[in-house]
Amino acid sequence: MSLLVQIREKARKLQKTIVLPEGQDQRIIEAAAEIVKQGLAKPVVIGDAARIKRVAGDLGLSMDGVEILELEKTENLDEYATEFAKLRAKKGMTFEEAKKTMLDAPVFYAAMMVRKGIADGVVSGAAAPTAQVIRAGLQIIGTKPGIKTVSSVFVMELTERQDTYGEILLFGDCSVIPEPTSVQLADTCESAVETAKSLLGMDGKVALLSFSTKGSASHPSIDVVKEAGNILRERKVTFAFDDELQADAALVKSVAEKKCPNSKVAGHANILIFPNLAAGNISYKLVQRLAGANAYGPLLQGLAHPINDLSRGCSAPDIVDTVALTAVQSTTNK
């Protein structure tokens, strides 16, 4: 059974409320109708109701079962803007500024719905930039206790050589932090392990990657990775991890036996943490394109409740899949 089939089955049982704040986008309208059709979640679409219904009608789609919110008409706008202004008071935000932000960028209103317990998650980014989606999460929902970093993972479902590498690998961070510090790398590790467990039921074995394995090279960037490992040891995390591993040592048993025979992770890692965004982003795209892997994400992690970012080039089916993933994510982000 493929990963997505399993995720969809879980989502159907959960029936979570997921907000789609970009109702002006035709892909969102198509996705919302399909989400209801498949019974994956209870979608809430923010946008002009008349236009959404008109577009749906032109496409031959039913909006039955889709809740449509027009922010200018909602009773909660002033209440949410007041709370948003309080959250950002130290930054000088006024009620008027908070209200304008929510009207101009509805992802902030959607995040407040999650904060207030009205919804379980948000999927945005079909039109909005990633930075805006992350800001909404950070400013309104905030991070989980003990975590200060918002990062991301791609769930890579392998279609070849599964006997060697397993069916699923997690790659992080591939979309958020260009040059992470040691603390940010350590936070990303912890979040990725939780994502693996909550979303996939998978026990994480984490490799912090570098171009060096256990002292085979020296460079300041290697020191950052090694320090991240030290931070995890200081935190006394309970999951298996190892730092300063090259990709082949992390994944290939025969290589691991030669390069780092005493490692408990080398040779069978299932979570790969990259030293910077360039390495992570390039790697997931190479594995996706050259090895034919299915790449699901990026899934944002580290927030107290899930907000996930879409590619602006996403399709309606991509949105449907992300909603299902977000619904399952939300079960452990309480």
Side-chain angles (χ1 to χ4, degrees):
M1 186 184 298
S2 73
L3 171 63
L4 271 183
V5 170
Q6 297 176 54
I7 292 295
R8 289 182 189 128
E9 287 187 355
K10 290 180 181 179
R12 287 189 187 98
K13 294 176 182 178
L14 294 169
Q15 286 299 295
K16 296 294 184 176
T17 299
I18 307 297
V19 189
L20 300 164
E22 298 168 307
Q24 78 280 8
D25 193 299
Q26 178 178 310
R27 295 167 295 174
I28 296 294
I29 298 169
E30 294 175 18
E34 186 63 23
I35 290 161
V36 172
K37 183 178 179 180
Q38 294 190 31
L40 298 175
K42 300 174 184 176
V44 178
V45 176
I46 297 178
D48 182 276
R51 181 185 180 279
I52 289 170
K53 291 176 181 177
R54 183 175 65 253
V55 171
D58 291 344
L59 295 170
L61 301 173
S62 170
M63 286 289 101
D64 291 346
V66 178
E67 182 180 353
I68 300 173
L69 282 181
E70 295 182 291
L71 295 195
E72 295 85 350
K73 298 179 182 179
T74 181
E75 297 178 355
N76 295 325
L77 180 58
D78 285 354
E79 174 193 345
Y80 287 6
T82 298
E83 185 160 347
F84 186 23
K86 288 181 180 178
L87 290 171
R88 303 293 293 166
K90 291 183 179 179
K91 298 295 183 179
M93 179 174 279
T94 65
F95 166 79
E96 290 76 15
E97 291 170 337
K99 187 172 182 178
K100 185 177 187 302
T101 297
M102 288 185 165
L103 288 171
D104 291 345
V107 65
F108 287 88
Y109 184 94
M112 188 61 76
M113 290 178 67
V114 175
R115 178 182 175 88
K116 303 291 272 185
I118 305 300
D120 299 291
V122 178
V123 173
S124 186
T130 295
Q132 186 181 91
V133 177
I134 293 174
R135 279 199 303 272
L138 280 172
Q139 293 179 6
I140 293 179
I141 292 177
T143 55
K144 293 181 179 181
I147 299 293
K148 296 181 179 180
T149 304
V150 174
S151 59
S152 73
V153 291
F154 270 86
V155 179
M156 306 298 295
E157 183 179 32
L158 303 186
T159 56
E160 298 181 7
R161 304 193 69 180
Q162 295 174 333
D163 291 343
T164 303
Y165 302 116
E167 296 181 0
I168 302 290
L169 295 173
L170 265 62
F171 285 13
D173 173 14
C174 301
S175 69
V176 179
I177 308 170
E179 293 292 342
T181 65
S182 296
V183 171
Q184 289 172 326
L185 282 176
D187 283 351
T188 301
C189 289
E190 290 200 56
S191 294
V193 169
E194 184 173 342
T195 297
K197 189 67 175 180
S198 63
L199 192 65
L200 309 167
M202 186 171 83
D203 291 328
K205 301 178 184 67
V206 182
L208 288 101
L209 299 181
S210 178
F211 63 87
S212 169
T213 296
K214 302 303 180 186
S216 64
S218 59
H219 190 271
S221 65
I222 299 171
D223 295 337
V224 174
V225 173
K226 292 166 66 175
E227 179 57 26
N230 291 334
I231 291 169
L232 291 174
R233 292 181 189 94
E234 290 171 1
R235 293 179 181 178
K236 297 180 180 179
V237 298
T238 57
F239 57 84
F241 74 93
D242 203 353
D243 55 276
E244 195 193 355
L245 295 177
Q246 291 167 285
D248 56 354
L251 294 170
V252 183
K253 292 180 181 179
S254 60
V255 175
E257 288 170 358
K258 294 177 182 177
K259 291 189 174 184
C260 41
N262 297 321
S263 175
K264 296 180 179 179
V265 167
H268 53 271
N270 55 20
I271 298 177
L272 305 183
I273 302 300
F274 294 88
N276 55 47
L277 189 59
N281 192 273
I282 291 167
S283 295
Y284 102 76
K285 290 184 177 181
L286 286 175
V287 173
Q288 179 186 33
R289 300 299 178 182
L290 298 183
N294 298 316
Y296 305 116
L299 298 178
L300 296 182
Q301 53 184 20
L303 293 167
H305 302 280
I307 292 184
N308 278 317
D309 180 43
L310 297 164
S311 165
R312 275 178 275 182
C314 66
S315 65
D318 292 334
I319 298 167
V320 173
D321 292 342
T322 304
V323 166
L325 287 160
T326 304
V328 176
Q329 249 188 319
S330 71
T331 61
T332 56
N333 281 57
K334 296 293 185 183

